[in-house]
Amino acid sequence: ATPEMAAAQAPIMAGQMASMPRDAFDAQQKAGLARLVKTQTSLPELVRWGETSDQATVSAVTGELLGTDLRADLSALETDTLILVPFDPAMGAPRDQIESLYTAQYAAAPNADITMIDNSFHFIMIDQPDLFHTALLKAISD
């Protein structure tokens, strides 16, 4: 999708999410979690977090994030930027393709450090807590 297409669709998606009955919203959130975390033992807690979230806020933020292209603003960053990128073969795309995608997305950031985290989905801090912690401490200490 182009940034223009995303910007046009984002408010529609946000509106649909906001107007869903709460049980349907919770079911949608729960279904999406299976693709975001490999550590299945964490799913009940993540589901609980979703069920206690504010539906209007989640919907508005989702729409705002999906509809805003911040790539041009990255050149204004004056600090080092650590981007942790999850990877697992189950994602269905080769590792180098995912890394290239993130490298292109953050190309304007002057001091971007793209760090791949293997054997993880979106919730790196849950799937690979030791690697997440090590990368975070390294970024803070550098």
Side-chain angles (χ1 to χ4, degrees), residues 49-129:
W49 291 351
E51 291 172 346
T52 59
S53 66
D54 181 74
Q55 183 174 347
T57 301
V58 171
S59 301
V61 169
T62 299
E64 186 176 328
L65 287 173
L66 292 177
T68 306
D69 183 1
L70 296 172
R71 289 176 293 179
D73 297 331
L74 295 176
S75 63
L77 292 174
E78 296 179 4
T79 184
D80 294 342
T81 307
L82 173 64
I83 301 95
L84 298 180
V85 180
F87 174 73
D88 191 89
M91 292 175 164
R95 186 180 198 279
D96 61 336
Q97 183 180 7
I98 292 173
E99 186 172 16
S100 293
L101 174 70
Y102 277 84
T103 300
Q105 293 293 314
Y106 287 91
N111 296 305
D113 175 8
I114 308 291
T115 299
M116 300 293 291
I117 305 291
D118 292 322
N119 197 29
S120 181
F121 290 169
H122 176 79
F123 286 103
I124 296 169
M125 71 291 288
I126 293 172
D127 290 334
Q128 291 294 337

Side-chain angles (χ1 to χ4, degrees), residues 84 117 124-125 128-140:
L84 298 180
I117 305 291
I124 296 169
M125 71 291 288
Q128 291 294 337
D130 292 339
L131 293 175
F132 178 84
H133 187 248
T134 298
L136 189 60
L137 287 178
K138 181 183 180 301
I140 291 170

Side-chain angles (χ1 to χ4, degrees), residues 48 102 139 142:
R48 184 180 58 74
Y102 277 84
D142 284 351

